[in-house]
Amino acid sequence: MNDYRPPGPEQAYTPEPASSPLSGAAHRSGLRGLSRRLMHDGYLSEAAAARAEQEAREGEISLLEHVIQSGLVPARQATLTAAWEYGLPIIDLDALRLESLPPAADYPDKILRRLGVLPLNRLGHRLTVAVPYPSTLAQLDELQFATGLTPEGVLAPVDQLGPVLESYLARNENTMLDELANVDDAIGELSYDEGVTDVVDEQQAVAAAGDDAPIVKFVNKILLDAIRRGASDIHFEPYETSYRVRFRIDGMLHDVAHPPFAMRTRIAARLKVMSRLDISERRLPQDGAIKLRISTTRSIDFRVNSLPTVYGEKIVLRILDPASAQLGIEQLGFTPEQREIYEQVLDDPQGMILVTGPTGSGKSVTLYTGINILNEVERNICTAEDPVEIKVPGVNQVNVLPKIGLDFASALRAFLRQDPDVVMVGEIRDLETAEIAVKAAQTGHLVLSTVHTNSAAETLTRLANMGVAPFNIASSVSLIIAQRLARRLCKHCKQPADIPREALLNQGFTEAEVSEATIFEPVGCKHCTQGFKGRVGIYEVVPISNPMSQLIMKQGNAMDFATQAREEGHPDLRRSGLLKVMQGLTSLAEVNRVTKD
């Protein structure tokens, strides 16, 4: 049921009406329609299906919309089940090419966005559109009135439909992309003075940068290219005789441009103007932010840092994508067992969840995902972050400012006087913060935080080395998650790898796994970057059980904790990575890069 036929752009297929025999339990349940079908297909228990029906009615939305938005059933499986239940056609949008779709200029973009529908094909007066839910079909008369065409709906998984619709409209919007059509020619025609070296000339260059149209176009193009390619960071780097721009894509840096060396001051000035930094200060680091509006309905935030180097100012932009904090837990990469453990601990009224790993390993996304699960009207959630990068409606977020005395410890101390239910602390760095977090976890609060260690076992010894008493660790910490991010193999071009049996055994695979598993390797195509597209999490999820608590009380070391976790059936990072390799999600070389034996 998880895999359905991917029709081409003109090949939406219609499942037969739901005539397959349902189980006796489904018939006897008293459920009807889609809820009964979801129960029959094994996605929901009878109680969960009945509860979902009630919650959908209370929220005045369709059942399909509710189970997808709440994460009860993955979007693609839920949509396919609904298509079978209602006898509706369904399409896999991964098979689409945007170039094959009718021009978006022919249709009102406001209506397309409001309804969330995508034009697929026009034949005479008939317009085929992809819709996210069967309930959307009743709203298509608005599109019919605006266009004079007769719309016919085809179901598409909403997790596919949203990004494709945004890309489709962005291709046709009259935005700054149109302004940059000839940016390369404009840069090529510029004449630069290679002798701009003294302070006076540099100040003149800085002052002129705000009105330098080619520089403006170049910077805008770089920012838009980074967004389009899914980069997380942009590096503008001056060297002795050269200047380069690099994107960090899926955790790896890639060269993307080498503008003339003489442009370095103007580019830096333009970025500093955009981020409201002091353009006259080039001796001290500065922090700022940019909000770039790329269409009438979409804007992207950047966190900006300038750093004076011996050859000029290096400027790094972090792209802050709110969508990354809204991922469903099913998209993170947990195994079913690990996901169940995380959700169970999140459901506890008190305790401490610690996420550990190096910088850039996805700790914040894991915490934000938990916060989004907990973010309900009956909970008071407070977070202290350094800095707050992604704003979450319904969550009280505080920027840590150590210069004025607002550090993690003081923020956490203030939170405890704010009647919180859930507290998130960006990082536990010192004993004071650790002791306040422990106290909060012991007195009826759920605390989420990060610690910089390499594994779950080392986190316990790190807390002990800070000076936290073993009893407090054992009674407050509920769960430790260690994680890494590995690049995900491109599904369009990955191919089986020819790796000798002995090599696989040496890497940690068992005899049975070597015989049955197919290992894939990257190739590279137009859909990806060097054979990879996106990233997948590799996790070590260790709940603090009674035996683990006893080991903490005995002041065991990291090796003791790791041995106990393996005995309880919790795989370490290396083993979790090998499981991802056997699933075809990433390559063995990538797992070797992000984990250690």
Side-chain angles (χ1 to χ4, degrees), residues 77-318:
Q77 284 81 351
T79 304
L80 181 60
T81 301
W84 277 98
E85 178 62 30
Y86 301 124
L88 294 173
I90 185 171
I91 186 169
D92 183 355
L93 295 181
D94 283 344
L96 276 177
R97 290 185 302 112
L98 292 180
E99 297 82 0
S100 68
L101 300 180
D106 295 344
Y107 311 103
D109 60 342
K110 290 184 179 179
I111 294 179
L112 296 182
R113 280 196 171 94
R114 183 164 59 252
L115 300 181
V117 301
L118 173 71
L120 296 175
N121 185 45
R122 177 178 174 179
L123 184 60
H125 288 285
R126 296 192 176 191
L127 176 66
T128 303
V129 296
V131 301
Y133 310 109
S135 57
T136 309
L137 297 173
Q139 305 174 44
L140 292 182
D141 54 352
E142 184 179 357
L143 184 61
Q144 181 176 2
F145 179 79
T147 62
L149 303 174
T150 303
E152 298 177 346
V154 176
L155 274 184
V158 67
D159 61 340
Q160 291 182 342
L161 183 52
V164 173
L165 176 60
E166 191 64 39
S167 299
Y168 170 70
L169 294 173
R171 285 174 58 87
N172 294 274
E173 285 176 333
N174 183 21
T175 64
M176 62 177 62
L177 285 171
D178 298 322
E179 301 174 9
L180 295 175
N182 299 315
V183 65
D184 293 331
D185 294 337
I187 292 177
E189 294 169 0
L190 290 177
S191 175
Y192 297 102
D193 181 4
E194 297 291 345
V196 179
T197 55
D198 61 280
V199 174
V200 174
D201 287 340
E202 283 201 348
Q203 288 177 340
Q204 292 174 348
V206 166
D211 298 324
D212 196 334
I215 295 293
V216 171
K217 288 185 177 182
F218 173 77
V219 170
N220 288 345
K221 183 178 187 299
I222 290 294
L223 301 187
L224 289 167
D225 284 348
I227 295 168
R228 194 163 44 238
R229 294 181 61 179
S232 62
D233 300 87
I234 311 171
H235 293 242
F236 294 86
E237 302 171 313
Y239 295 97
E240 185 175 8
T241 59
S242 63
Y243 191 82
R244 71 176 176 182
V245 181
R246 292 191 290 175
F247 291 168
R248 186 175 295 279
I249 302 173
D250 297 332
M252 304 294 285
L253 284 169
H254 301 272
D255 263 350
V256 295
H258 289 268
F261 177 67
M263 289 176 60
R264 69 194 187 284
T265 306
R266 294 182 178 182
I267 291 174
R270 173 59 185 167
L271 290 167
K272 291 170 75 173
V273 168
M274 294 175 69
S275 52
R276 300 182 180 180
L277 300 180
D278 183 356
I279 62 173
S280 65
E281 178 57 75
R282 295 185 298 279
R283 298 168 301 173
L284 296 174
Q286 297 185 66
D287 292 297
I290 296 173
K291 180 180 286 291
L292 181 67
R293 187 171 297 279
I294 61 175
S295 74
T296 56
T297 59
R298 187 183 178 204
S299 61
I300 298 292
D301 292 329
F302 299 81
R303 188 183 73 196
V304 184
N305 177 265
S306 69
L307 177 71
T309 71
V310 292
Y311 300 117
E313 288 183 283
K314 174 180 177 178
I315 297 183
V316 175
L317 280 67
R318 165 66 57 87

Side-chain angles (χ1 to χ4, degrees), residues 431 435 438 442 463-464 466-476 552-553 555:
L431 177 59
E435 288 182 335
V438 165
Q442 292 172 333
L463 291 175
M466 283 185 186
V468 182
F471 171 80
N472 285 331
I473 298 175
S475 62
S476 61
I552 295 172
M553 295 296 294
Q555 301 185 29

Side-chain angles (χ1 to χ4, degrees), residues 487-567:
R487 289 181 293 172
R488 188 187 294 265
L489 284 169
C490 174
K491 62 183 179 181
H492 297 283
C493 65
K494 67 179 181 181
Q495 66 179 17
D498 185 14
I499 302 177
R501 180 185 185 88
E502 294 75 15
L504 292 177
L505 292 173
N506 291 335
Q507 290 291 330
F509 294 100
T510 66
E511 288 280 358
E513 290 168 347
V514 170
S515 302
E516 299 176 2
T518 300
I519 311 300
F520 291 89
E521 64 183 0
V523 177
C525 68
K526 64 179 181 179
H527 300 286
C528 63
T529 302
Q530 298 178 352
F532 297 95
K533 182 68 173 178
R535 288 190 285 181
V536 62
I538 297 174
Y539 299 92
E540 177 186 14
V541 178
V542 181
I544 304 303
S545 60
N546 287 332
M548 190 73 77
S549 296
Q550 293 172 7
L551 194 56
I552 295 172
M553 295 296 294
K554 295 176 182 178
Q555 301 185 29
N557 58 36
M559 294 183 62
D560 297 330
F561 296 135
T563 301
Q564 181 62 37
R566 302 298 87 77
E567 291 177 356

